[in-house]
Amino acid sequence: MSDFKALAEAVTKGDIKTAVAETQKALDSGSNVQDILDNGLIATMDEVGERFSKGLIFVPQMLRSARTMQECMKLLQPLFQESDVTSKGKVLIGTVKGDLHDIGKNLVSMMMEGAGFTITDLGVDVAPEKFVQKVQEVEPDIVGMSALLSTTMPSMPLTIEALQKAEIRDKVKIMIGGAPVTEKYAQEIKADSYASDAGSAVTKAKELLGIRG
Amino acid sequence: MKPLDIPTFQPRLKVLNREQALVIHAAALEILEKTGFKMEHSGALEMLSDAGCRVSDGDWVRLPAYLAEEALSSAPRQIALYDQQGNKTMPLRDGNSFYGTGSDATFTLDMETGQRRRTVLRDAANFARLVDGLENIAFAMSMANPEDVPVEDIYVRVFAEMIRNTNKPMVFIADSGKDIARIYEIACLVAGGEAEFQRKPFILNYSEPISPLRFPANVVEKLIFCAEKKIPICFPSGTNAGGGAPVTLAGAMALGIAENLVGLVVHQLAGKGSPFLFGPNVSVLDMKSTVVSYGCPEWSLTQAALADMRDEIYGLPTWAYAGASDAKVMDAQAGAEAMFSIVTAMLSRSNLIHDVAFLEFGSTSSLEMLTMANELIAMSRFFTTGIPVNEETLALEAIERVAGGGPGSMFLMDDHTFEHFEQAQFLPKLLDRSRYDSWEEAGAMDLYKRCNIEAKRILAEHQVAPKSEEVLHEIERILQG
Ligand code: B12
């Protein structure tokens, strides 16, 4: 394993220019692509996430680190064979039908992306049928639903039902969130997981897929 | 000798100068002309296009500044809200400030157990009744998004429940053109007909477009409905700084005002001269918790700035917030945040001030918090009234009497004190000033406990003048239909 100290520091600081240069340097010096990704970028982002959870840094700093990582990824992506692109998992996410709140959902998407998941974002006001259609198309590991209104929460069980009808419920893990949503509600509607904020959404997603760290 | 007759200066907070106000206004107009906005309501799109806007990509609209200026000049400078018995209790103009509750809390702090639990319809009733019984709370909002009614009926049910429990003016939420029509039907019933309602409106709709610059069809549908029916409306977007809007307050205000102006233009095109309450909600997205804060100084600061812009430019009464908190229980943080926003809203002369008694950034409501706020508003009102300076208040005669009155003479015994103390002093009811021993004897209660007892007392004793049997019956019919 190579030494990614300078790269890690640049990602932590959100210094895009230096981070991209360091990534290029690592590639030029013959480092393994997977190694750069796992031990240079993702490990650093895990650390950044940790610091955020402890209240040591603020959201914009964390997001900037995530973006820095994405810029570095652009150099790595073409070097992966289609088959061994190592994503932590595919996540399909959307705000449920009738609901137009999306700031929380967008934040969850960005954090998950930063943690190495591949995100397909369906936007807001997503009907159950749309979720079904997209699950069939994208074949995600996790389906995330967001609702900020008590009036739109019932769309969540309806979507789960629709997935059941289409016989694809068991192919995905379902995560839900949004201000009025609770752990109890998640259990009631038989979702697989609930998270109260974007940080814990990442932790819970990893748990669901049995990913450590 | 001519009696002293000096007008009393009433303390007034200013946070923007004229130059700053004009620059923010110009920035808002530039956003509308240069950036444009997404109008998803086809009727409004057509109106805007006919009025002179440029439309591209189907629903992207650029609005020339003169349309905004025209709308500003046709909207009424004052909005009078009446109570449900026809008294003009909320003249929204000049420096008048009125406080009321907030909408849709998901949870409430249960009055018996003190625990946070999901809201039910009964909570909307209790809040309306308590508002009715508190002298400084001028209007009611639901404070509950109940779990025990069918979701498609929530806003109509809650509205009817409030009608049964208060006669004060009400600010209401609706989901779309459908439930707003039913709510309007109930309002007309209470007022005694559509013409009567329009002469003495007692409700105001709260609808919100989406920052940045997006106008969903169902939201605009409500806007047009209100314009046509002359139901007063406010149209604040959630321009929370750092989330829906730039993190810097000037930019967030410019964006929020731009969105408000779009609403105003559509509104005035649909109903020229209909009443529109001006102002966005410019709070912040907290950079640690990522919640949209309801206790931050930024929201107070931006609405004070908006009041300055009203005085410098717009002339329209403003929409504002106060008396809420991000605290989870009614603790010292709740008291501090509530008081900060209540007193600054009044000092800056915001007009219609909502969200009083929200905890947990709008997720939870509390009857105790409302009871406390009632007193904090009284305290602020006392402060904002200023110091009357005249013959009577200078009290030179009393000074002479007491000073020359020999040993033991003091003002407490003088007639001047007896005659003036009730106006001259703020006399708290719930804020405790007792001596330690008597406080302990009375149960060593903190403010939360005292507010709890007072809220329960009001709910048990306060009589809300009931609506007629006929009206109640008709409301039931509308609810069934
Ligand atoms: C901003 C806002 C808006 C904006 C939304 C803009 C946008 N682009 O999203 C606007 C102004 C459009 C809006 C509109 C309305 N709103 Co609104 N809104 C809010 C507000 C102030 C903040 C929400 C927010 O963005 N928070 C910041 C984000 C980052 O936090 P978050 O959404 O909670 O997300 C976090 C977690 O919940 C979690 N999470 C979220 N989604 C997911 C998904 C998954 C899978 C996971 C794991 C986790 C997760 O992680 C996120 C990040 O940490 C809240 C009150 C509040 N302070 O919360 C009211 C609030 C949610 N709104 C409310 C209401 C009632 C409405 C309206 C009906 C009001 C009206 N007058 O019409 C409309 C409805 C529009 C519609 N059909 O959707 C109520 C809901 C009450 C209820 N129980 O139903 C609230 C609580 C305010 C209140 N007390 O009245 N609103």
Side-chain angles (χ1 to χ4, degrees):
Chain A
M1 177 180 137
S2 320
D3 171 21
F4 297 117
K5 211 165 146 252
L7 175 59
E9 203 180 295
V11 172
T12 305
K13 275 201 209 138
D15 177 348
I16 296 176
K17 231 172 103 189
T18 309
V20 169
E22 283 298 326
T23 308
Q24 190 60 52
K25 222 160 91 190
L27 285 172
D28 294 345
S29 68
S31 294
N32 173 280
V33 185
Q34 192 68 49
D35 192 23
I36 303 178
L37 177 64
D38 289 344
N39 301 310
L41 299 176
I42 293 181
T44 309
M45 270 317 288
D46 286 347
E47 180 107 346
V48 168
E50 184 85 353
R51 281 167 58 79
F52 172 71
S53 306
K54 288 188 182 142
L56 298 172
I57 60 168
F58 294 92
V59 186
Q61 293 163 319
M62 180 183 61
L63 293 179
R64 176 61 173 260
S65 290
R67 225 186 82 210
T68 307
M69 169 176 164
Q70 278 161 17
E71 290 301 319
C72 298
M73 279 298 291
K74 286 186 188 156
L75 294 183
L76 306 185
Q77 218 106 44
L79 303 173
F80 282 112
Q81 299 297 333
E82 180 67 40
S83 57
D84 57 32
V85 172
T86 49
S87 155
K88 283 246 163 88
K90 280 194 272 183
V91 180
L92 184 75
I93 193 167
T95 300
V96 298
K97 187 171 174 179
D99 204 320
L100 304 172
H101 294 81
D102 67 356
I103 300 173
K105 178 214 61 179
N106 294 349
L107 208 65
V108 170
S109 304
M110 279 189 276
M111 286 284 281
M112 288 204 160
E113 202 157 30
F117 290 89
T118 310
I119 308 292
T120 308
D121 186 345
L122 301 181
V124 297
D125 196 10
V126 182
E129 311 83 63
K130 180 82 186 266
F131 270 110
V132 169
Q133 181 209 331
K134 284 289 172 180
V135 167
Q136 284 160 341
E137 220 172 284
V138 178
E139 300 186 342
D141 302 289
I142 296 178
V143 174
M145 288 187 268
S146 179
L148 265 283
L149 299 169
S150 354
T151 46
T152 57
M153 277 163 63
S155 272
M156 292 177 160
L158 289 180
T159 304
I160 294 179
E161 223 172 85
L163 290 170
Q164 241 146 14
K165 278 224 182 84
E167 294 176 7
I168 43 180
R169 167 66 185 92
D170 297 334
K171 299 203 168 122
V172 295
K173 297 285 182 197
I174 291 175
M175 275 186 87
I176 61 171
V181 179
T182 57
E183 183 79 60
K184 188 168 146 261
Y185 188 70
Q187 284 165 10
E188 273 168 28
I189 67 166
K190 300 197 167 62
D192 299 301
S193 186
Y194 153 82
S196 68
D197 59 33
S200 48
V202 171
T203 316
K204 292 279 180 83
K206 287 181 181 170
E207 277 172 24
L208 278 181
L209 302 186
I211 302 166
R212 266 173 302 132
Chain B
M1 198 181 70
K2 182 169 152 286
L4 264 180
D5 181 21
I6 337 177
T8 305
F9 175 76
Q10 299 190 326
R12 164 73 158 93
L13 185 68
K14 272 206 167 286
V15 306
L16 283 186
N17 62 28
R18 181 166 173 76
E19 197 180 351
Q20 286 174 298
L22 288 170
V23 171
I24 294 176
H25 176 54
L29 294 177
E30 181 170 335
I31 292 170
L32 298 179
E33 278 204 0
K34 296 271 161 39
T35 308
F37 54 90
K38 191 166 163 31
M39 174 51 71
E40 296 169 10
H41 186 281
S42 55
L45 198 62
E46 206 177 307
M47 277 193 274
L48 288 167
S49 161
D50 289 349
C53 293
R54 281 175 296 138
V55 179
S56 53
D57 300 326
D59 61 3
W60 197 261
V61 182
R62 288 188 175 77
L63 184 139
Y66 72 87
L67 282 180
E69 303 288 3
E70 270 172 24
L72 279 166
S73 65
S74 66
R77 308 256 132 178
Q78 55 166 297
I79 301 173
L81 278 186
Y82 292 74
D83 68 13
Q84 295 172 45
Q85 291 155 325
N87 307 302
K88 193 201 282 181
T89 55
M90 289 178 62
L92 299 165
R93 62 175 156 76
D94 308 329
N96 292 342
S97 297
F98 300 98
Y99 292 81
T101 43
S103 72
D104 300 272
T106 311
F107 306 98
T108 196
L109 290 190
D110 189 277
M111 220 188 353
E112 300 301 331
T113 66
Q115 297 298 310
R116 172 183 182 263
R117 60 156 172 80
R118 204 54 186 83
T119 43
V120 291
L121 196 58
R122 179 94 208 115
D123 296 314
N126 279 342
F127 273 98
R129 191 169 275 275
L130 187 60
V131 164
D132 204 82
L134 291 169
E135 67 274 26
N136 299 311
I137 306 296
F139 65 91
M141 289 179 76
S142 73
M143 290 306 250
N145 190 294
E147 92 175 319
D148 56 348
V149 294
V151 286
E152 63 281 6
D153 270 357
I154 278 193
Y155 292 115
V156 184
R157 292 261 163 197
V158 159
F159 186 84
E161 195 63 18
M162 291 168 70
I163 288 282
R164 293 191 194 103
N165 286 282
T166 182
N167 285 305
K168 288 192 174 175
M170 296 181 0
V171 175
F172 72 101
I173 312 277
D175 184 47
S176 67
K178 212 163 112 217
D179 53 355
I180 203 173
R182 289 170 75 201
I183 287 171
Y184 180 62
E185 203 183 335
I186 297 177
C188 289
L189 205 67
V190 172
E194 189 162 15
E196 283 77 8
F197 171 81
Q198 294 190 349
R199 211 166 49 238
K200 295 185 169 183
F202 66 86
I203 57 172
L204 182 140
N205 178 245
Y206 175 11
S207 289
E208 306 172 307
I210 300 187
S211 294
L213 299 160
R214 191 176 151 214
F215 298 81
N218 71 325
V219 175
V220 178
E221 193 182 350
K222 292 181 281 176
L223 179 72
I224 294 175
F225 185 88
C226 287
E228 288 173 351
K229 303 287 186 195
K230 297 194 172 7
I231 305 169
I233 183 171
C234 63
F235 203 64
S237 42
T239 28
N240 44 81
V247 71
T248 41
L249 297 182
M253 282 194 72
L255 179 63
I257 287 171
E259 287 159 346
N260 233 250
L261 287 172
V262 172
L264 182 67
V265 169
V266 171
H267 184 260
Q268 293 299 301
L269 288 173
K272 196 167 182 174
S274 288
F276 187 95
L277 190 68
F278 201 72
N281 287 330
V282 185
S283 180
V284 299
L285 186 73
D286 180 71
M287 291 302 168
K288 262 190 189 159
S289 64
T290 72
V291 308
V292 172
S293 171
Y294 279 44
C296 61
E298 291 88 345
W299 199 350
S300 295
L301 185 57
T302 53
Q303 69 189 20
L306 186 83
D308 292 338
M309 294 182 74
R310 171 198 61 203
D311 295 349
E312 295 290 354
I313 306 167
Y314 301 125
L316 305 183
T318 63
W319 165 253
Y321 110 106
S325 173
D326 297 329
K328 270 35 97 189
V329 292
M330 200 191 100
D331 58 3
Q333 179 184 343
E337 290 176 345
M339 189 55 179
F340 183 89
S341 52
I342 286 173
V343 73
T344 54
M346 195 181 288
L347 284 171
S348 54
R349 305 289 190 272
S350 294
N351 296 123
L352 188 143
I353 303 162
H354 84 306
D355 277 356
V356 172
F358 264 160
L359 291 169
E360 196 196 340
F361 41 87
S363 300
T364 300
S365 57
S366 158
L367 292 159
E368 290 87 356
M369 178 92 167
L370 183 59
T371 310
M372 170 178 76
N374 183 60
E375 182 135 323
L376 301 183
I377 294 165
M379 202 171 177
S380 305
R381 203 144 261 158
F382 181 86
F383 186 87
T384 314
T385 304
I387 303 179
V389 179
N390 56 45
E391 229 67 72
E392 277 297 302
T393 62
L394 285 169
L396 297 183
E397 282 171 18
I399 293 172
E400 195 167 319
R401 258 193 322 270
V402 173
S409 173
M410 64 183 211
F411 289 100
L412 190 54
M413 269 96 83
D414 196 87
D415 282 349
H416 182 268
T417 304
F418 173 75
E419 277 151 21
H420 290 95
F421 82 98
E422 280 170 303
Q423 293 76 45
Q425 290 198 350
F426 172 66
L427 305 167
K429 288 187 197 136
L430 293 164
L431 297 170
D432 175 65
R433 294 177 180 171
S434 63
R435 286 168 201 278
Y436 194 89
D437 289 358
S438 29
W439 172 74
E440 199 171 37
E441 239 167 70
M445 289 185 285
D446 64 8
L447 183 56
Y448 175 67
K449 183 70 195 153
R450 292 194 299 276
C451 289
N452 178 271
I453 292 173
E454 176 65 359
K456 283 180 183 160
R457 186 194 66 75
I458 296 174
L459 288 178
E461 293 174 9
H462 177 68
Q463 300 291 328
V464 179
K467 306 284 182 317
S468 75
E469 277 305 320
E470 197 192 327
V471 165
L472 291 175
H473 186 80
E474 279 298 296
I475 290 177
E476 222 21 71
R477 187 189 54 79
I478 294 172
L479 290 181
Q480 301 311 329

